Amino acid sequence: THVGDVSPPHSPPHAPEWGDKLSDEALTRFCRHGMGAHRVEALEEGGRRVFAVRTNALAALPVRPGYASYGADAYFDESWRVLRIERCEPAGSAAGRVGPSGAARGFEARQLTTRTFYPDGDPAAWEYAKFCVRSSVFTLVTVVDHLFE
């Protein structure tokens, strides 16, 4: 029994089934009600309210050769539909080699450029961006919120 089943007025809605864990709806749930919930920021963009879960602060961290960098900022509209994902990635020759087509190898520079992914863009790139959000939120919450603070 979930506490929400016993005392609904005092608990948020409870949905025990995640269904497709890789869907856009699952990303929203992960960020709004799951591991990223305490990191949600309310922002104003073009006169409308948006919500963001930001992890691009991790992008400058070094990673082993062959691995993609951490970080991705997810943005949601007022109805919590995902609008876009902004990801800081290594600039220069390594840019474009990080992602669904393969990992960058042998880059040392930490100069970053921002790449934006949209739900209606390249499907493989969109799935990769969502993976980066989930992985980076998990890393940020574990290292900073759980172990450090």
Side-chain angles (χ1 to χ4, degrees):
T1 301
H2 182 264
V3 70
D5 298 335
V6 178
S7 181
H10 305 290
S11 303
H14 173 60
E17 297 297 324
W18 276 81
D20 180 4
K21 294 171 185 65
L22 304 180
S23 68
D24 293 0
E25 293 78 18
L27 179 67
T28 294
R29 185 171 175 192
F30 178 80
C31 291
R32 184 178 183 192
H33 300 293
M35 190 166 239
H38 68 290
R39 293 201 154 265
V40 172
E41 300 174 42
L43 308 168
E44 187 85 16
E45 277 188 0
R48 65 182 182 159
R49 179 178 218 147
V50 297
F51 301 99
V53 175
R54 300 181 189 196
T55 65
N56 268 328
L58 300 174
L61 293 175
V63 294
R64 294 187 317 197
Y67 287 87
S69 59
Y70 293 105
D73 297 346
Y75 293 87
F76 303 87
D77 67 13
E78 287 183 329
S79 299
W80 280 93
R81 285 184 303 269
V82 64
L83 296 170
R84 69 183 182 281
I85 295 171
E86 294 178 359
R87 181 161 154 69
C88 290
E89 296 179 333
S93 62
R97 290 193 291 141
V98 178
S101 59
R105 302 217 180 268
F107 68 91
E108 297 297 325
R110 297 309 319 167
Q111 293 180 349
L112 302 170
T113 186
T114 301
R115 186 171 159 198
T116 304
F117 300 84
Y118 296 97
D120 58 353
D122 174 31
W126 180 243
E127 293 303 316
Y128 168 73
K130 291 190 298 184
F131 169 80
C132 292
V133 170
R134 292 188 304 268
S135 300
S136 296
V137 167
F138 180 82
T139 300
L140 182 67
V141 169
T142 300
V143 173
V144 175
D145 302 335
H146 177 68
L147 298 176
F148 182 72
E149 290 186 0

